Every structure is written in structure tokens, then in C-alpha cells.
Amino acid sequence: MADTRPRVLSGIRPTGPLHVGHLVGALSNWAAMQDKYECFFMIADWHALTTHFEDPSRIREFALENTACLLASGVDPARSTFFRQSDLVEHAELHLLLSMMVPVPWLERVPTYKETKEQLKDRDLSSYGFLGYPVLQAADILAYKAVLVPVGEDQVAHLEVTREIVRRFNHLYGEVFPEPKPLLTPTPRLPGPDRRKMSKSYGNTIELGHDENQIRDSVKRMFTDPAKIHLGDKGHPEDCVVYAFHGAFNPAGVTEVDRTCRDGSRGCVDCKKSLLGPMWERLKPVHEARARYLQDPGRIETILAEGARKAREVAGATMKEVRRAMKLV
Ligand code: TRP
Ligand code: SF4
């Protein structure tokens, strides 16, 4: 029987080990979607090359690590199709064909294009591939005719390019693709312990590979409300990293934290201690399952190969349709 659930595709770039921000943002969200939607999840290793082409040596290893994290957090290859982008040459072909009809100014005006170029000044991002990042992303989505794309706020502009590409393609060659919509990640972004955005480039990530002691150290280092110095001082949870983590890892206790922080009856040292328990309780099973998967890279490769086979059934059929629509057959 044909699957009638809405089709979803999302991806993650293997540019480093995954961290708790990925878990409470993308990964747990993906794991929860698997029954209601027909899901395709992808390790976007070609996309990693757009910023890391000068030193690609670790992308392969990060792809395995990221795959282990996905599996450990409940992304289930029996219920979802889970694959590595570079195993699907169909994405490259579709990227090339779409590139023929995409006006360069559409790509130049994507806000993340200019921003990333400014942020990563030490990297050479003047390449054709980096400009075409959203076209490759469109190919990822359209190869499966996905209608929903779970992403963070920062990806909405990329999705808009995909939608424009769909309209242009369908106008030129006939109705082939549906217009996908973003499905915004419901959880707010977790900051790093130092209050900045949690990111490898700031060296402030709390990784899924970290053990209990490393997590404890990260919690100890977390910024608290600077106006709350003594135990009895009234605090402002909205200015506190520890509070953001209570929200993500201790939902049952967070109202109480808010109240006792504001009325001054809670001290920051205790507040950090009461975070560690629920946080490690949530992270421990993921940490352990990740380690088990990583002990057997052969098994990870088998899972990815099987995922690529399932993905190819769909992407291959789409490519036949695309070639026909573009009069290439
Ligand atoms: N650009 C996405 C990110 O950085 C990763 C990605 C690649 C993606 N291809 C995709 C996300 C397709 C959604 C759909 O997070
Ligand atoms: Fe943050 Fe807790 Fe201290 Fe309030 S009591 S400032 S929430 S650590």
C-alpha cells in the first residue's frame, strides 16, 4: 500500500561532533516525527564541503559520529530512510539541472550567504559551490518531493529559494514538484555555557560524546544572572544560561526554578546541582548508545548503505521524471 503520510526531509552537515543543542533541537524532533510522517534524514557531507573543501579529511569521520548520534537519539532506520548525501549521485545530477535555471541574483541575496562569508573570514568562500549551497539543498528536498522540511529559523531563506525553484521548474517543464514548507523546530536554541551561540567556532559546545564529568564541568562554567551575586539576591532567569537548560532538560521543575530564583530563595550553586541530575539522566542513554554504535563502524556503514538503497528507489524515480520533463530522453 502506498504511504499516504506527508513526506519530510531534513539534513545535518557533518562538520564536527554533534552537541546537546542538536539533540534538543533537531534530533529529538526528528525522532518524534517518524510515525506521523514519511521521513528522510540525510547526512549532508557534500554540503559540509562548501565550507570545508580546503581540509575535508575529517568529514568522513564526523559523518560516522553524527550517524551514531542520530541512531542513539532514536532516529530509526526501520521506520525512516536515513542516508548519506554523497551515496546518492541523483542529488548531484538534480543540482546540476536546477543550476541551469537559477538566476545568480537569487543566490546572492540569500542573507546567510553574505553573513557566513563575513563570519568565516579566514575561509575562502568565493566558490561557485558555496554560492550554490541553496540549489544543492533544493535538490536534496526535491529528489524526494518532500512537502515539509524541519529546520531552524536560519534555514527559512534557503527554503524560500527551493520554493522559487519549484515555481520556475514547473512553469518551464510542467508540474513535477510540490512546493515544500519549512516546519520550524519548536524548541528555543540553547546557548553555550558562556552565553554565546553554542558553536564549534566558539569552542563552547557540550557534546553528546562528553561523559558525566565533562557535563558537570560545563554546568559549573555556565553563566548565571550577573545581577544575582549573593544567595538571597533576586535573580532574572531570562538572563541565565542555567535556566535555559532547566527549560530543556528539567521541564517538570522549571516553574519552580523561575519562582525561587525571582524571590531570592534559590542560590545559583544549588540551582546548577539540581540541573545536573535531570540533564545527565536524559543524556546518559544517548551517550552510551552513541559509544556502542561507534565501536562498530561496519554496522553504521551497513545501515547507511541500506538507507541509500531505499533513498535511491525514490530519488531514481524522480530523476526519470525530471529527465523526461526536460526533454533529455
Ligand atoms: N543546510 C542545512 C543546515 O545547515 C543542512 C541541509 C542540507 C538540509 N540539505 C538539507 C536541511 C535539506 C534540510 C533539507 O542545517
Ligand atoms: Fe540562574 Fe538558577 Fe542562579 Fe536563577 S538561581 S540566576 S536560574 S542559576
PDB file of all heavy atoms in Angstrom, residues 148-168:
ATOM      1  N   LEU A 148       7.414  18.844   3.594  1.00  0.00           N
ATOM      2  CA  LEU A 148       7.750  19.525   4.841  1.00  0.00           C
ATOM      3  C   LEU A 148       9.234  19.341   5.131  1.00  0.00           C
ATOM      4  O   LEU A 148       9.782  18.254   4.947  1.00  0.00           O
ATOM      5  CB  LEU A 148       6.946  18.948   6.004  1.00  0.00           C
ATOM      6  CG  LEU A 148       5.453  19.283   6.004  1.00  0.00           C
ATOM      7  CD1 LEU A 148       4.744  18.491   7.094  1.00  0.00           C
ATOM      8  CD2 LEU A 148       5.227  20.780   6.184  1.00  0.00           C
ATOM      9  N   VAL A 149       9.847  20.430   5.593  1.00  0.00           N
ATOM     10  CA  VAL A 149      11.279  20.400   5.870  1.00  0.00           C
ATOM     11  C   VAL A 149      11.523  20.946   7.278  1.00  0.00           C
ATOM     12  O   VAL A 149      11.469  22.158   7.491  1.00  0.00           O
ATOM     13  CB  VAL A 149      12.055  21.226   4.821  1.00  0.00           C
ATOM     14  CG1 VAL A 149      13.550  21.125   5.058  1.00  0.00           C
ATOM     15  CG2 VAL A 149      11.707  20.772   3.412  1.00  0.00           C
ATOM     16  N   PRO A 150      11.738  20.057   8.264  1.00  0.00           N
ATOM     17  CA  PRO A 150      12.018  20.530   9.620  1.00  0.00           C
ATOM     18  C   PRO A 150      13.382  21.196   9.690  1.00  0.00           C
ATOM     19  O   PRO A 150      14.396  20.559   9.398  1.00  0.00           O
ATOM     20  CB  PRO A 150      11.981  19.261  10.487  1.00  0.00           C
ATOM     21  CG  PRO A 150      11.914  18.104   9.564  1.00  0.00           C
ATOM     22  CD  PRO A 150      11.719  18.585   8.171  1.00  0.00           C
ATOM     23  N   VAL A 151      13.397  22.468  10.035  1.00  0.00           N
ATOM     24  CA  VAL A 151      14.648  23.232  10.097  1.00  0.00           C
ATOM     25  C   VAL A 151      14.538  24.320  11.155  1.00  0.00           C
ATOM     26  O   VAL A 151      13.452  24.610  11.645  1.00  0.00           O
ATOM     27  CB  VAL A 151      14.967  23.939   8.753  1.00  0.00           C
ATOM     28  CG1 VAL A 151      15.535  22.986   7.729  1.00  0.00           C
ATOM     29  CG2 VAL A 151      13.774  24.698   8.219  1.00  0.00           C
ATOM     30  N   GLY A 152      15.663  24.917  11.480  1.00  0.00           N
ATOM     31  CA  GLY A 152      15.686  26.088  12.354  1.00  0.00           C
ATOM     32  C   GLY A 152      15.427  27.347  11.537  1.00  0.00           C
ATOM     33  O   GLY A 152      15.483  27.334  10.298  1.00  0.00           O
ATOM     34  N   GLU A 153      15.172  28.423  12.262  1.00  0.00           N
ATOM     35  CA  GLU A 153      14.879  29.740  11.672  1.00  0.00           C
ATOM     36  C   GLU A 153      15.892  30.146  10.587  1.00  0.00           C
ATOM     37  O   GLU A 153      15.530  30.707   9.558  1.00  0.00           O
ATOM     38  CB  GLU A 153      14.916  30.749  12.827  1.00  0.00           C
ATOM     39  CG  GLU A 153      14.330  32.101  12.553  1.00  0.00           C
ATOM     40  CD  GLU A 153      12.808  32.068  12.460  1.00  0.00           C
ATOM     41  OE1 GLU A 153      12.147  31.704  13.448  1.00  0.00           O
ATOM     42  OE2 GLU A 153      12.320  32.409  11.374  1.00  0.00           O
ATOM     43  N   ASP A 154      17.176  29.834  10.830  1.00  0.00           N
ATOM     44  CA  ASP A 154      18.250  30.253   9.924  1.00  0.00           C
ATOM     45  C   ASP A 154      18.133  29.629   8.528  1.00  0.00           C
ATOM     46  O   ASP A 154      18.789  30.073   7.589  1.00  0.00           O
ATOM     47  CB  ASP A 154      19.615  29.907  10.531  1.00  0.00           C
ATOM     48  CG  ASP A 154      19.768  28.403  10.787  1.00  0.00           C
ATOM     49  OD1 ASP A 154      18.786  27.771  11.220  1.00  0.00           O
ATOM     50  OD2 ASP A 154      20.859  27.861  10.541  1.00  0.00           O
ATOM     51  N   GLN A 155      17.301  28.585   8.390  1.00  0.00           N
ATOM     52  CA  GLN A 155      17.217  27.881   7.106  1.00  0.00           C
ATOM     53  C   GLN A 155      16.010  28.319   6.259  1.00  0.00           C
ATOM     54  O   GLN A 155      15.827  27.842   5.151  1.00  0.00           O
ATOM     55  CB  GLN A 155      17.119  26.366   7.343  1.00  0.00           C
ATOM     56  CG  GLN A 155      18.377  25.773   7.943  1.00  0.00           C
ATOM     57  CD  GLN A 155      19.544  25.837   6.975  1.00  0.00           C
ATOM     58  OE1 GLN A 155      19.434  25.494   5.808  1.00  0.00           O
ATOM     59  NE2 GLN A 155      20.672  26.305   7.459  1.00  0.00           N
ATOM     60  N   VAL A 156      15.200  29.227   6.807  1.00  0.00           N
ATOM     61  CA  VAL A 156      13.973  29.606   6.115  1.00  0.00           C
ATOM     62  C   VAL A 156      14.264  30.250   4.752  1.00  0.00           C
ATOM     63  O   VAL A 156      13.571  29.986   3.762  1.00  0.00           O
ATOM     64  CB  VAL A 156      13.101  30.519   7.015  1.00  0.00           C
ATOM     65  CG1 VAL A 156      11.926  31.091   6.250  1.00  0.00           C
ATOM     66  CG2 VAL A 156      12.600  29.721   8.218  1.00  0.00           C
ATOM     67  N   ALA A 157      15.316  31.057   4.689  1.00  0.00           N
ATOM     68  CA  ALA A 157      15.662  31.717   3.422  1.00  0.00           C
ATOM     69  C   ALA A 157      16.084  30.691   2.365  1.00  0.00           C
ATOM     70  O   ALA A 157      15.785  30.852   1.174  1.00  0.00           O
ATOM     71  CB  ALA A 157      16.773  32.739   3.642  1.00  0.00           C
ATOM     72  N   HIS A 158      16.764  29.623   2.805  1.00  0.00           N
ATOM     73  CA  HIS A 158      17.128  28.560   1.856  1.00  0.00           C
ATOM     74  C   HIS A 158      15.882  27.879   1.302  1.00  0.00           C
ATOM     75  O   HIS A 158      15.789  27.582   0.111  1.00  0.00           O
ATOM     76  CB  HIS A 158      18.014  27.511   2.535  1.00  0.00           C
ATOM     77  CG  HIS A 158      19.408  27.988   2.800  1.00  0.00           C
ATOM     78  ND1 HIS A 158      20.244  27.372   3.696  1.00  0.00           N
ATOM     79  CD2 HIS A 158      20.101  29.025   2.286  1.00  0.00           C
ATOM     80  CE1 HIS A 158      21.405  28.010   3.724  1.00  0.00           C
ATOM     81  NE2 HIS A 158      21.334  29.019   2.883  1.00  0.00           N
ATOM     82  N   LEU A 159      14.928  27.646   2.184  1.00  0.00           N
ATOM     83  CA  LEU A 159      13.681  27.015   1.763  1.00  0.00           C
ATOM     84  C   LEU A 159      12.933  27.887   0.761  1.00  0.00           C
ATOM     85  O   LEU A 159      12.300  27.394  -0.171  1.00  0.00           O
ATOM     86  CB  LEU A 159      12.790  26.802   2.995  1.00  0.00           C
ATOM     87  CG  LEU A 159      12.621  25.370   3.468  1.00  0.00           C
ATOM     88  CD1 LEU A 159      11.791  24.588   2.488  1.00  0.00           C
ATOM     89  CD2 LEU A 159      13.982  24.703   3.633  1.00  0.00           C
ATOM     90  N   GLU A 160      13.039  29.194   0.952  1.00  0.00           N
ATOM     91  CA  GLU A 160      12.371  30.113   0.027  1.00  0.00           C
ATOM     92  C   GLU A 160      12.977  29.964  -1.370  1.00  0.00           C
ATOM     93  O   GLU A 160      12.256  30.002  -2.370  1.00  0.00           O
ATOM     94  CB  GLU A 160      12.483  31.550   0.571  1.00  0.00           C
ATOM     95  CG  GLU A 160      11.464  32.513   0.020  1.00  0.00           C
ATOM     96  CD  GLU A 160      10.036  31.938  -0.081  1.00  0.00           C
ATOM     97  OE1 GLU A 160       9.486  31.461   0.941  1.00  0.00           O
ATOM     98  OE2 GLU A 160       9.487  31.930  -1.208  1.00  0.00           O
ATOM     99  N   VAL A 161      14.288  29.756  -1.454  1.00  0.00           N
ATOM    100  CA  VAL A 161      14.924  29.529  -2.757  1.00  0.00           C
ATOM    101  C   VAL A 161      14.361  28.235  -3.377  1.00  0.00           C
ATOM    102  O   VAL A 161      14.041  28.193  -4.567  1.00  0.00           O
ATOM    103  CB  VAL A 161      16.466  29.449  -2.638  1.00  0.00           C
ATOM    104  CG1 VAL A 161      17.094  29.107  -3.982  1.00  0.00           C
ATOM    105  CG2 VAL A 161      17.033  30.763  -2.111  1.00  0.00           C
ATOM    106  N   THR A 162      14.233  27.187  -2.567  1.00  0.00           N
ATOM    107  CA  THR A 162      13.666  25.938  -3.089  1.00  0.00           C
ATOM    108  C   THR A 162      12.279  26.196  -3.678  1.00  0.00           C
ATOM    109  O   THR A 162      11.948  25.713  -4.764  1.00  0.00           O
ATOM    110  CB  THR A 162      13.554  24.866  -1.973  1.00  0.00           C
ATOM    111  OG1 THR A 162      14.844  24.630  -1.429  1.00  0.00           O
ATOM    112  CG2 THR A 162      12.997  23.569  -2.503  1.00  0.00           C
ATOM    113  N   ARG A 163      11.480  26.971  -2.960  1.00  0.00           N
ATOM    114  CA  ARG A 163      10.112  27.233  -3.435  1.00  0.00           C
ATOM    115  C   ARG A 163      10.127  28.008  -4.762  1.00  0.00           C
ATOM    116  O   ARG A 163       9.351  27.720  -5.672  1.00  0.00           O
ATOM    117  CB  ARG A 163       9.320  27.978  -2.355  1.00  0.00           C
ATOM    118  CG  ARG A 163       9.041  27.081  -1.122  1.00  0.00           C
ATOM    119  CD  ARG A 163       8.697  27.889   0.119  1.00  0.00           C
ATOM    120  NE  ARG A 163       7.521  28.727  -0.075  1.00  0.00           N
ATOM    121  CZ  ARG A 163       6.277  28.285   0.020  1.00  0.00           C
ATOM    122  NH1 ARG A 163       6.041  27.034   0.344  1.00  0.00           N
ATOM    123  NH2 ARG A 163       5.257  29.101  -0.177  1.00  0.00           N
ATOM    124  N   GLU A 164      11.034  28.970  -4.873  1.00  0.00           N
ATOM    125  CA  GLU A 164      11.138  29.728  -6.129  1.00  0.00           C
ATOM    126  C   GLU A 164      11.585  28.815  -7.272  1.00  0.00           C
ATOM    127  O   GLU A 164      11.107  28.932  -8.402  1.00  0.00           O
ATOM    128  CB  GLU A 164      12.137  30.883  -5.969  1.00  0.00           C
ATOM    129  CG  GLU A 164      11.581  32.033  -5.157  1.00  0.00           C
ATOM    130  CD  GLU A 164      12.598  33.171  -4.995  1.00  0.00           C
ATOM    131  OE1 GLU A 164      13.631  32.957  -4.327  1.00  0.00           O
ATOM    132  OE2 GLU A 164      12.357  34.248  -5.545  1.00  0.00           O
ATOM    133  N   ILE A 165      12.506  27.905  -6.962  1.00  0.00           N
ATOM    134  CA  ILE A 165      12.986  26.965  -7.983  1.00  0.00           C
ATOM    135  C   ILE A 165      11.830  26.079  -8.453  1.00  0.00           C
ATOM    136  O   ILE A 165      11.671  25.834  -9.654  1.00  0.00           O
ATOM    137  CB  ILE A 165      14.167  26.119  -7.450  1.00  0.00           C
ATOM    138  CG1 ILE A 165      15.410  26.993  -7.255  1.00  0.00           C
ATOM    139  CG2 ILE A 165      14.473  24.949  -8.386  1.00  0.00           C
ATOM    140  CD1 ILE A 165      16.613  26.273  -6.650  1.00  0.00           C
ATOM    141  N   VAL A 166      11.018  25.614  -7.507  1.00  0.00           N
ATOM    142  CA  VAL A 166       9.867  24.767  -7.866  1.00  0.00           C
ATOM    143  C   VAL A 166       8.945  25.513  -8.840  1.00  0.00           C
ATOM    144  O   VAL A 166       8.548  24.980  -9.875  1.00  0.00           O
ATOM    145  CB  VAL A 166       9.073  24.339  -6.606  1.00  0.00           C
ATOM    146  CG1 VAL A 166       7.718  23.755  -6.979  1.00  0.00           C
ATOM    147  CG2 VAL A 166       9.883  23.346  -5.794  1.00  0.00           C
ATOM    148  N   ARG A 167       8.640  26.770  -8.512  1.00  0.00           N
ATOM    149  CA  ARG A 167       7.721  27.523  -9.372  1.00  0.00           C
ATOM    150  C   ARG A 167       8.311  27.688 -10.776  1.00  0.00           C
ATOM    151  O   ARG A 167       7.618  27.524 -11.771  1.00  0.00           O
ATOM    152  CB  ARG A 167       7.393  28.894  -8.748  1.00  0.00           C
ATOM    153  CG  ARG A 167       6.590  28.759  -7.459  1.00  0.00           C
ATOM    154  CD  ARG A 167       5.990  30.081  -7.017  1.00  0.00           C
ATOM    155  NE  ARG A 167       6.961  30.950  -6.349  1.00  0.00           N
ATOM    156  CZ  ARG A 167       7.170  30.956  -5.028  1.00  0.00           C
ATOM    157  NH1 ARG A 167       6.485  30.160  -4.228  1.00  0.00           N
ATOM    158  NH2 ARG A 167       8.063  31.773  -4.508  1.00  0.00           N
ATOM    159  N   ARG A 168       9.594  27.976 -10.835  1.00  0.00           N
ATOM    160  CA  ARG A 168      10.213  28.167 -12.144  1.00  0.00           C
ATOM    161  C   ARG A 168      10.273  26.855 -12.930  1.00  0.00           C
ATOM    162  O   ARG A 168       9.956  26.816 -14.116  1.00  0.00           O
ATOM    163  CB  ARG A 168      11.618  28.760 -11.982  1.00  0.00           C
ATOM    164  CG  ARG A 168      12.368  28.844 -13.295  1.00  0.00           C
ATOM    165  CD  ARG A 168      13.505  29.825 -13.235  1.00  0.00           C
ATOM    166  NE  ARG A 168      13.012  31.180 -13.417  1.00  0.00           N
ATOM    167  CZ  ARG A 168      13.742  32.173 -13.914  1.00  0.00           C
ATOM    168  NH1 ARG A 168      14.999  31.976 -14.260  1.00  0.00           N
ATOM    169  NH2 ARG A 168      13.242  33.361 -14.067  1.00  0.00           N
TER     170      ARG A 168
END
